[in-house]
């Protein structure tokens, strides 16, 4: 006899009325996350990749003085008009000295004179134009000859041309990159105020988990999530606390979460967020904190718990290793970014041609792992890494991108365009 059962929506369904969209999840994370206010003053080299916490204004002009952009001869442009030879196109100048970078030539240049000048040397008084060495003819009698194909001010770098005194060169929220270190150095600034690093505590949960270097018993697996979490967190400017593996037990999880919340700005767990009988994250969070949501319309990664424990943010990632990495990329990085004091950003996506068919039902964001490459015509193309199960962690290590199949997508044919996001764990 045929019959039906009342089934509960699950990750096998493309849509689940209890799931919120990725966009809703991100906006709830954003509205519950406050940037850390504390900052620290550090030597500029230690500020690389950190977030600037106050606007920086220049107190000087860079460069400080007009100077030469070339090795050549400093002249007064108006002198080129002198017709002092039979050929009115040619002007001659008497060389009266030489200016070096860091060693100016202090005698003013008069009409008919020039000063030999090196790149970076201060423009001598009376000069406004530099003739490149290669464009002047040196004569034996201490004179040079210059033709008329020149323009006023050529090869001169002006005071303040790069940075003007009082100009804002960094704003609060800017991430300090290598060029910023150079700009700060060019202003003579040796120390900078940056926001302190967020402290992130993380732990795995599961009775089946065994540390590396230990032999597996029946049904046991090695804890891989703490290693991928470590790897992803290490690419960000955070201080990490690895709290190890917690057993599937309400009291152990509850006390581990309370302890973590004392120490960290953000607490991350993996596993135990589903509806199984050994899944205690949600109930523990309900007991000691405020859950905000626990299911997102995303595959993999649907069961994800977000909330607060005391002053800390809490993100309970799924247990499946691929789901951990996908949800870290999509939800944890934006939260850390916001904690760090950086403004929100859109992660760059690239359009690529799919080389293969991809099954997909509309209703949720599905994220597959792909191998993307540039064709000889400079177009991105992408294929799947093979098996896409959320336990197939090698799909992440073999792949180089996520393939984003959006909610409304209902399948991909070879040749269709898809969006890809190249792996980049340092997006902040
Ligand atoms: P859970 O959400 O706890 O039911 O876990 C879902 C799946 O992920 C199970 O097959 C777990 O064994 C696996 N899993 C959970 N935690 C880890 C971990 N730390 N490392 C590797 N696999 C894990
Ligand atoms: Mg578990």
């Amino acid at each position: 006899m045929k019959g039906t059962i009342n089934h509960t929506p699950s990750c096998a369904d493309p849509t689940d009325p209890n799931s919120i969209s990725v966009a809703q999840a991100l906006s709830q994370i954003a509205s519950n996350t406050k940037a850390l206010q504390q900052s620290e003053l550090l030597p500029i080299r230690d500020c690389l990749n950190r977030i600037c916490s106050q606007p920086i204004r220049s107190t000087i002009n860079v460069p400080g003085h007009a100077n030469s952009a070339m090795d050549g001869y400093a002249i007064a442009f108006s002198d080129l008009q002198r017709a002092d030879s039979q050929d009115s196109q040619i002007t001659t100048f008497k060389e009266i000295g030489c200016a070096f970078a860091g060693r100016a030539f202090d005698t003013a240049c008069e009409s008919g004179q020039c000063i030999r000048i090196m790149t970076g040397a201060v423009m001598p008084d009376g000069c406004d134009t530099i003739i490149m060495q290669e464009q002047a003819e040196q004569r034996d009698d201490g004179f040079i000859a210059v033709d008329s194909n020149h323009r006023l001010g050529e090869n001169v770098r002006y005071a303040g041309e790069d940075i003007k005194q009082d100009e804002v060169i960094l704003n609060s929220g800017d991430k300090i990159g290598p060029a910023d270190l150079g700009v700060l150095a060019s202003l003579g600034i040796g120390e900078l105020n940056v926001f302190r690093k967020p402290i992130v505590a993380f732990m795995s949960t599961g009775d089946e988990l065994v540390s590396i270097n230990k032999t597996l018993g029946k049904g046991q697996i090695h804890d891989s999530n703490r290693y991928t979490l470590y790897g992803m967190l290490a690419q960000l400017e955070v201080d990490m606390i690895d709290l190890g593996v917690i057993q599937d037990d309400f009291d152990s999880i509850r006390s581990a979460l309370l302890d973590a919340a004392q120490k960290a700005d953000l607490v991350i767990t993996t596993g135990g967020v589903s509806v199984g009988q050994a899944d205690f994250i949600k109930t523990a969070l309900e007991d000691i904190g405020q859950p905000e949501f626990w299911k997102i319309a995303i595959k993999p990664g649907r069961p994800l718990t977000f909330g607060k424990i005391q002053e800390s943010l809490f993100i309970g990632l799924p247990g499946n290793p691929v789901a951990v990495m996908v949800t870290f990329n999509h939800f944890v990085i934006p939260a850390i970014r916001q904690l760090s004091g950086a403004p929100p950003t859109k992660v760059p996506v690239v359009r690529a041609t799919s080389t293969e068919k991809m099954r997909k039902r509309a209703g949720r964001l599905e994220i597959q792992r792909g191998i993307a490459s540039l064709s000889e015509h400079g177009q991105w193309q992408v294929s799947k890494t093979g098996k896409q199960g959320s336990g197939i962690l090698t799909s992440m290590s073999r792949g180089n991108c996520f393939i984003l199949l959006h909610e409304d997508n209902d399948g991909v044919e070879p040749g269709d365009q898809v969006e890809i996001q190249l792996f980049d764990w340092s997006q902040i």
Side-chain angles (χ1 to χ4, degrees):
M1 196 179 102
K2 274 195 172 172
T4 54
I5 58 163
N6 284 331
H7 91 279
T8 316
S10 73
C11 58
D13 298 300
T15 53
D16 171 352
N18 299 319
S19 293
I20 62 172
S21 71
V22 170
Q24 281 172 306
L26 285 170
S27 97
Q28 282 200 42
I29 291 175
S31 58
N32 281 283
T33 306
K34 274 209 279 320
L36 301 174
Q37 292 305 314
Q38 302 98 316
S39 58
E40 51 189 342
L41 184 67
L42 295 177
I44 57 171
R45 285 186 183 181
D46 296 338
C47 296
L48 185 63
N49 297 328
R50 299 287 294 274
I51 308 296
C52 179
S53 66
Q54 63 180 163
I56 302 294
R57 277 179 191 279
S58 170
T59 55
I60 56 173
N61 279 321
V62 180
H65 303 274
N67 66 82
S68 176
M70 293 284 173
D71 293 333
Y73 298 91
I75 61 156
F77 184 75
S78 56
D79 252 10
L80 283 181
Q81 282 16 270
R82 276 186 299 118
D84 63 354
S85 85
Q86 301 91 334
D87 179 352
S88 63
Q89 298 299 303
I90 303 291
T91 315
T92 56
F93 294 87
K94 179 163 176 48
E95 190 182 322
I96 60 161
C98 187
F100 293 90
R103 249 190 303 144
F105 183 77
D106 281 333
T107 310
C109 201
E110 289 172 7
S111 180
Q113 298 179 334
C114 71
I115 293 167
R116 180 99 168 86
I117 192 163
M118 303 299 144
T119 305
V122 172
M123 285 298 285
D125 288 344
C127 299
D128 55 17
T129 300
I130 303 291
I131 307 299
M132 270 174 80
Q133 182 171 309
E134 294 83 345
Q135 293 175 356
E137 184 185 300
Q138 276 154 296
R139 299 197 167 156
D140 294 338
D141 53 3
F143 280 77
I144 62 162
V146 178
D147 66 20
S148 60
N149 298 323
H150 296 279
R151 108 192 122 63
L152 174 64
E154 76 184 29
N155 302 319
V156 177
R157 302 194 283 218
Y158 293 98
E161 169 177 295
D162 186 4
I163 302 169
K164 293 207 171 30
Q165 186 172 0
D166 221 31
E167 190 177 327
V168 174
I169 50 116
L170 282 173
N171 282 298
S172 176
D174 286 351
K175 179 176 175 173
I176 306 300
D180 299 314
L181 296 187
V183 168
L184 289 164
S186 73
L187 296 174
I189 296 175
E191 290 175 320
L192 184 68
N193 272 305
V194 290
F195 288 115
R196 77 164 168 84
K197 293 183 190 180
I199 303 168
V200 181
F202 61 104
M203 63 189 95
S204 294
T205 69
D207 287 345
E208 73 281 33
L209 302 178
V210 172
S211 300
I212 52 178
N213 297 326
K214 292 227 170 95
T215 312
L216 295 178
K218 186 170 180 186
Q220 292 185 320
I221 58 171
H222 289 299
D223 171 15
S224 63
N225 287 346
R226 271 188 314 126
Y227 291 84
T228 47
L229 279 179
Y230 166 83
M232 294 184 291
L233 288 167
Q235 310 264 329
L236 306 174
E237 292 296 318
V238 298
D239 285 327
M240 283 186 246
I241 307 175
D242 181 345
L243 293 172
V245 176
I246 313 298
Q247 298 302 299
D248 285 323
D249 161 70
F250 178 82
D251 290 331
S252 312
I253 289 178
R254 183 181 183 282
S255 67
L257 291 183
L258 276 175
D259 171 51
Q262 297 293 317
K263 297 175 174 153
D265 303 302
L266 168 64
V267 178
I268 301 172
T269 59
T270 72
V273 284
S274 233
V275 290
Q277 307 229 316
D279 293 331
F280 296 110
I281 293 290
K282 194 174 158 242
T283 43
L285 183 65
E286 279 162 353
D287 190 42
I288 56 171
Q290 301 91 48
E292 291 291 330
F293 61 78
W294 66 286
K295 271 195 215 172
I296 306 174
I298 186 173
K299 181 189 177 187
R302 189 184 71 126
L304 182 146
T305 303
F306 171 74
K308 296 198 80 171
I309 304 172
Q310 298 165 351
E311 292 307 303
S312 299
L313 283 186
F314 172 76
I315 303 185
L317 301 178
N320 278 305
V322 178
V324 168
M325 297 195 79
V326 166
T327 49
F328 187 98
N329 180 71
H330 271 69
F331 305 105
V332 178
I333 291 182
I336 293 179
R337 189 180 167 88
Q338 202 173 338
L339 277 176
S340 309
T345 186
K346 265 214 158 301
V347 180
V349 292
V350 182
R351 292 187 74 72
T353 306
S354 175
T355 60
E356 61 185 298
K357 189 178 173 75
M358 297 180 197
R359 289 173 163 286
K360 156 88 167 59
R361 285 187 288 167
R364 64 183 168 193
L365 171 65
E366 285 194 19
I367 297 178
Q368 315 230 340
R369 274 72 64 210
I371 300 172
S373 59
L374 274 172
S375 73
E376 56 190 55
H377 306 296
Q379 311 286 323
W380 284 102
Q381 53 196 25
V382 67
S383 56
K384 291 197 290 186
T385 50
K387 284 204 199 99
Q388 294 288 317
S390 61
I392 311 288
L393 188 52
T394 48
S395 69
M396 287 295 308
S397 66
R398 293 198 180 113
N400 64 358
C401 68
F402 292 120
I403 305 170
L404 309 175
L405 303 179
H406 292 286
E407 284 184 21
D408 53 352
N409 182 304
D410 56 2
V412 173
E413 295 299 324
D416 283 357
Q417 292 285 300
V418 290
E419 275 186 0
I420 61 169
Q421 187 189 326
L422 294 163
F423 290 161
D424 174 7
W425 305 104
S426 59
Q427 296 157 28
I428 291 179

